[in-house]
């Protein structure tokens, strides 16, 4: 529900012009309002709230006073450094991140762009390194079984290079990371292909600003697809499916320079 404080509203029309679903109309006195029958079309993007110069709008219970003020963003140079210097981290310090850092990372997920702003994403964060043991041990057991039955070699011929390491208990999937975030999307969500990846890409970049190392984990995606035991542990609702996973923690490696790549034209 959109509420307008008439004592604050200056009738500039910014809220109605910026409303993507075009539900904010003007009354006979030129004040903005949402006709009752259009209220259900609000997607709670909060653009009306964000754009109002006088803070006159309350959007679904959220007031201007609750919104963080406009602050500095990284300079183009700093942002490019962030993009260039992010590396997939595959060796981690065996320690938990401070809970307040994990809380900040979790909080950042709320601002991710989603196709229809329809709250179709769920996240599970493994915030304690002891809890990763279950995933690690179950994954190793599954992989060893697949290797011994030769199924892994058939399904994924490239795995041949890692058989020795896997059989020796090396964690080639979760990289001994102390933490991971798993994203699941509602199966009937309109933008189920894009939304999860955008959210975790934001999480990935924001993590770098705390010196937290990350690694996207496609291998884990396939294991979760394969193993009900692993999926059950995350306890997502039945109408959700796991899409993407990022491992994270304090890096045990330090890169001395960024890499050198160029964008291909074709
Ligand atoms: C969708 C996706 C899945 C990935 N899965 C894995 C994985 O399972 N294990 C792994 O070690 N790295 C994984 N990576 C990391 C890539 O190997 C890595 O991004 C690439 O080699 C480039 O290195 P950089 O990230 O350090 O720039 C994945 C990356 C993406 C984007």
């Amino acid at each position: 529900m959109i509420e307008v404080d008439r004592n604050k509203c200056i009738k500039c029309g910014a809220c109605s012009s910026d409303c993507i679903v075009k539900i904010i109309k003007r009354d006979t006195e030129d004040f903005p309002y949402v006709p009752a029958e259009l209220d259900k079309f609000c997607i709670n993007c909060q653009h009306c709230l964000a754009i109002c110069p006088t803070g006159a709008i309350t959007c679904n219970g959220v007031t201007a006073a609750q919104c963080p003020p406009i602050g500095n963003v990284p300079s183009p140079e700093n942002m490019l450094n962030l993009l260039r210097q992010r590396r997939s981290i595959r060796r981690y310090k065996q320690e938990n991140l401070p809970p307040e850092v994990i809380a900040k990372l979790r909080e950042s997920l709320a601002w991710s762009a989603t196709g229809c702003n329809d709250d179709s994403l769920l996240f599970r964060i493994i915030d304690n390194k002891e809890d990763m043991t279950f995933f690690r041990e179950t994954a190793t057991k599954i992989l060893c079984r697949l290797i011994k039955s030769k199924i892994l070699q058939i399904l994924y011929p490239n795995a041949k290079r890692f058989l020795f390491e896997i059989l020796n208990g090396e964690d080639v999937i979760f990289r001994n990371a102390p933490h991971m975030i798993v994203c699941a999307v509602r199966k009937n969500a309109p933008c189920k292909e894009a939304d999860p990846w955008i959210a975790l890409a934001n999480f990935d970049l924001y993590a770098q600003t705390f010196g937290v190392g990350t690694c996207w984990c496609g291998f884990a995606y396939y294991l979760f697809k394969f193993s009900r035991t692993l999926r059950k542990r995350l306890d997502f609702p039945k109408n959700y499916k796991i899409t993407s996973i990022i491992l994270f923690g304090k890096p045990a490696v330090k890169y001395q320079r960024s890499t050198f790549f160029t964008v291909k034209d074709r």
Side-chain angles (χ1 to χ4, degrees):
M1 197 213 293
I2 311 287
E3 294 158 89
V4 178
D5 182 338
R6 289 180 168 229
N7 294 319
K8 290 185 183 162
C9 178
I10 54 169
K11 305 180 185 177
C12 67
C15 54
S16 51
S17 311
D18 212 49
C19 176
I20 183 187
V21 286
K22 302 280 176 227
I23 60 171
I24 305 183
K25 309 294 179 195
R26 313 288 281 276
D27 68 12
T28 48
E29 292 174 72
D30 228 15
F31 282 113
Y33 79 107
V34 176
E37 70 277 13
L38 296 184
D39 194 47
K40 61 177 181 286
F41 297 113
C42 174
I43 62 164
N44 194 30
C45 66
Q46 299 186 6
H47 273 221
C48 50
L49 170 65
I51 206 166
C52 177
T54 59
I57 303 263
T58 299
C59 179
N60 297 309
V62 179
T63 65
Q66 288 172 271
C67 301
I70 297 295
N72 294 333
V73 295
S75 66
E77 189 193 350
N78 288 352
M79 190 68 202
L80 187 58
N81 283 341
L82 176 61
L83 298 174
R84 282 193 299 221
Q85 290 166 208
R86 179 211 54 81
R87 293 273 72 75
S88 294
I89 298 299
R90 299 185 178 94
R91 280 180 286 157
Y92 293 91
K93 291 195 175 152
Q94 294 309 300
E95 55 190 78
N96 285 327
L97 287 171
E100 57 275 17
V101 169
I102 295 184
K104 288 296 255 181
L105 293 177
R106 182 195 291 274
E107 194 188 323
S108 73
L109 295 163
W111 283 280
S112 144
T114 54
C116 297
N117 217 38
D118 62 344
D119 258 340
S120 60
L121 300 180
L122 287 176
F123 304 95
R124 298 282 185 263
I125 291 183
I126 307 302
D127 57 5
N128 179 355
K129 70 184 172 62
E130 312 307 333
D131 295 341
M132 285 297 291
T133 311
F134 169 81
F135 296 99
R136 223 183 294 294
E137 289 181 354
T138 309
T140 303
K141 259 188 235 157
I142 294 171
L143 288 180
C144 287
R145 228 184 304 133
L146 287 175
I147 290 171
K148 283 174 189 159
S149 58
K150 304 265 192 282
I151 291 174
L152 188 71
Q153 295 87 317
I154 294 165
L155 286 180
Y156 184 49
N158 281 345
K160 280 181 189 145
R161 287 178 289 128
F162 309 109
L163 300 187
F164 180 77
E165 284 81 358
I166 296 169
L167 292 170
N168 270 305
E170 195 175 305
D171 180 16
V172 297
I173 306 291
F174 297 104
R175 310 281 181 196
N176 286 311
H179 306 295
M180 80 174 158
I181 176 166
V182 181
C183 180
V185 68
R186 212 179 54 242
K187 287 176 187 168
N188 65 353
C191 298
K192 56 181 179 288
E193 282 82 18
D195 291 352
W197 295 95
I198 294 171
L200 286 203
N202 286 355
F203 180 96
D204 183 23
L205 289 181
Y206 188 44
Q208 316 300 316
T209 69
F210 291 95
V212 170
T214 57
C215 188
W216 290 87
C217 196
F219 287 148
Y221 165 80
Y222 286 109
L223 268 187
F224 278 115
K225 219 171 147 164
F226 182 79
S227 161
R228 211 165 83 88
T229 314
L230 284 174
R231 283 198 306 275
K232 233 176 130 186
R233 187 73 160 208
L234 295 170
D235 197 28
F236 284 113
K238 276 209 166 59
N239 57 333
Y240 277 70
K241 67 168 189 169
I242 292 172
T243 58
S244 24
I245 297 119
I246 290 183
L247 312 171
F248 65 100
K250 224 177 239 181
V253 285
K254 183 171 162 42
Y255 292 94
Q256 306 299 329
R257 59 196 60 79
S258 66
T259 48
F260 179 81
F261 291 110
T262 52
V263 176
K264 290 182 189 66
D265 288 328
R266 56 171 85 196

